[in-house]
Structure formats: structure tokens, C-alpha cells
Amino acid sequence: ISEWRFAVVPDIKPAIGFTDDLSANENLQIQVPYVVLDDYGVVSAQTIIQRVDLTDEQKISIDAVLKREAQLAANDSQVDDEKIAVDEEATALDHWLRAPVMLDLDLGGTRPSRQHDVFRADLTAHPWAGFEVSVQLRAEDDLGQIGFSDVRSFVLPERKFRSPMAKAVIEQRKYLYLHPLKAERVASVLDALMDHPEIYQPDAKVYLSMRIAAARLRAPGSFSEIKNLHNMMWDIALQIEDGGRQLMEERMRELQQQLSDAIAEGRPKDEIDEIMQALQ
């Protein structure tokens, strides 16, 4: 009575690529122009940023922790808690120094079959600011098929501080990242910066924060702690430079992104109202 002929069309993997060179805008945000294509639409897309290479001292630091981890694993007399602690320390150090940064591209809550846009992100607070990195794009469809772009090299934009004190803190912050085994040296420099507490008036918060950071750098419990102190030093420099205005701006951008995500995902009204109140 009837006859149909079917031609099965394979679902091809998504394609994603750069449409222009990477750049930084006046706000020191990295700008990634891209296009993503898929026959049935992509479900996720990311910008992947990785360090091009580590310094010799960073590699030595990782090797030292991994060697200690292997020795404990081979020693049956060691307690499990100590083995777990060293394993966590090795993971924390490796993640801090070289784990790739995965930044989601905004798909607008849809599954676009074509999207041409420019991704922007502020990475000036990241330990890699000022260092050369590799940048690659990744897209995934419903079947889990993944497409990658080519790899581009780029030097992440770095904020230049005007205050001599803020500059000194940032220099030690970068030194701590490059020399993770020399936390005590960084503590000594912070002590020297605190020799004249009167220069911190009327902002005693900066002085107290630096005292806390120096004390904790002298006896860090783990590399997770050193990473937290590295982040703390960024906040101290911002407080010195502009009284925390930058911190408030960063918090505002975080809340704006949370609000955008909440609306796109159709979250409950109470949750959206709470974010709007915090943003206000």
C-alpha cells in the first residue's frame, strides 16, 4: 500500500574554533572570539586554559611531594590518615600549579546549532596572570561527542598596582607561586613590610591581615593552606590599592553571573530574589 525510504543521517561531532586573535580589553579581561557549530546543537562549551610550562623549582616541589607520597604508600607501618594527608597535599599542589582552568561559554540556556560570540573573563587574580598559557576551545553535544579547536598561546593580562606597598605584596605573591617551598622567605618579607604599622592607618585591617598571613606562612599545614594564603595576599593588595573597591566589583560580577544562571535555569523565585537582594 505504501513504501518509505529512510536515509539515516549520522550525528556529527560539534565544531568549535577561534574567529580572531586572543586579546585583552581595557579592563584587562581576556577576550576569546569564537564560533561553535553542531547539526543538533551543543549542550556545553568551554575555554580551556593551561600553563605552557612550570619552573624548575615548581617541578622539584611536585616531585618532592610525589616521592614522599610513594614512600608512605610502600610503608605498611604508616597509618592510613598520614597517607591520606600526603595524598591530599600532592593533589592540592598539583592542582594549584598546573590544573587546567575550565571556563564555561555562555550558551544562553539553549542548545545552539550555531553561535558566534566573544567570551570574556577577568583572570587578573589568577596565579597565572602575567605568564604564558595555552588556550583551547571545547564543545560537546547530546551524544557526548567532543570537538576541539586548535591551541593558541597567550600571555594572561596582569594588573599593575600603583601603591608601592601593594606592589611589594603582589611581588611576594608571585614569588610564592614560583617557589612554593619558600613560604618562610615570603613571611620574612611581609614582616619587613610591617616594621612601620603607622603607615597602615587608618586601615588596621591590612596590617592585621598581613600579620596573620606571615604567621600562617611560617607553619603551613599543607599546600592547600599555601594556596589559600596566596589568594589572601591578592585581597590584601587590593585593600591597600583601592580600599576594597575592586573586591566589591568582583563580588558584583559574581552575583550578576549567578543571577543570569538562575534565570536561565528557571530556579525558584525565592532564590532569584535572594540573589537580586544581595546584588542590590
Side-chain angles (χ1 to χ4, degrees), residues 24 26 32 34 51 64 77 80 130 142-143 166-167 242 252 280:
E26 65 276 5
V32 184
Y34 70 92
R51 271 296 303 277
S77 64
D80 289 338
D142 253 326
L143 287 182
K167 283 182 180 179
D242 50 33
M252 186 174 71
Q280 194 171 31

Side-chain angles (χ1 to χ4, degrees), residues 16 33 81 112 147 157 165 185 199 205 207 219 232-233 265:
I16 189 168
D81 288 347
M165 185 66 69
R185 179 193 181 281
I199 68 175
K205 177 183 177 183
Y207 178 74
M232 183 179 180
M233 291 172 71
E265 295 169 9

Side-chain angles (χ1 to χ4, degrees), residues 33-253:
Y34 70 92
V35 62
V36 58
L37 306 167
D38 189 63
D39 42 4
Y40 293 102
V42 294
V43 295
S44 67
Q46 294 86 28
T47 297
I48 306 170
I49 301 174
Q50 292 182 289
R51 271 296 303 277
V52 172
D53 198 11
L54 299 179
T55 65
D56 289 341
E57 190 155 351
Q58 287 174 324
K59 294 174 183 177
I60 291 171
S61 302
I62 293 175
D63 290 342
V65 176
L66 291 177
K67 184 178 180 180
R68 185 180 165 206
E69 182 183 25
Q71 289 172 343
L72 285 177
N75 192 341
D76 294 335
S77 64
Q78 295 290 339
V79 295
D80 289 338
D81 288 347
E82 187 175 355
K83 293 179 181 179
I84 292 172
V86 174
D87 180 61
E88 290 176 348
E89 186 176 355
T91 302
L93 177 63
D94 188 72
H95 185 272
W96 180 40
L97 294 182
R98 61 183 179 188
V101 177
M102 305 280 288
L103 301 172
D104 290 332
L105 304 181
D106 185 9
L107 300 180
T110 64
R111 299 184 178 190
S113 56
R114 177 184 177 88
Q115 179 162 305
H116 190 294
D117 205 349
V118 177
F119 170 75
R120 296 177 179 85
D122 183 354
L123 297 174
T124 52
H126 197 277
W128 300 346
F131 291 99
E132 185 178 0
V133 297
S134 66
V135 183
Q136 188 175 32
L137 302 173
R138 174 189 185 277
E140 184 174 348
D141 66 10
D142 253 326
L143 287 182
Q145 299 180 113
I146 299 173
F148 289 97
S149 71
D150 61 324
V151 179
R152 302 281 180 94
S153 294
F154 186 66
V155 176
L156 288 182
E158 182 178 19
R159 174 170 176 170
K160 302 300 181 184
F161 288 81
R162 298 183 302 274
S163 163
M165 185 66 69
K167 283 182 180 179
V169 173
I170 289 299
E171 285 172 3
Q172 293 308 306
R173 178 180 183 264
K174 179 175 280 190
Y175 184 89
L176 181 62
Y177 175 69
L178 292 172
H179 310 276
L181 296 181
K182 296 183 178 178
E184 189 167 344
R185 179 193 181 281
V186 176
S188 298
V189 176
L190 293 184
D191 282 340
L193 294 175
M194 290 184 290
D195 280 347
H196 303 283
E198 65 276 4
I199 68 175
Y200 296 96
Q201 297 301 327
D203 192 353
K205 177 183 177 183
V206 170
Y207 178 74
L208 292 174
S209 296
M210 289 180 68
R211 280 185 64 96
I212 292 170
R216 287 165 60 185
L217 280 167
R218 282 200 163 81
S222 66
F223 282 106
S224 293
E225 178 76 0
I226 292 180
K227 179 183 177 182
N228 292 336
L229 290 169
H230 189 270
N231 295 335
M232 183 179 180
M233 291 172 71
W234 175 260
D235 293 342
I236 290 172
L238 290 183
Q239 187 71 30
I240 295 170
E241 182 78 3
D242 50 33
R245 179 180 57 83
Q246 181 73 17
L247 291 173
M248 287 187 286
E249 289 178 356
E250 289 178 2
R251 176 61 178 154
M252 186 174 71
R253 285 196 291 268

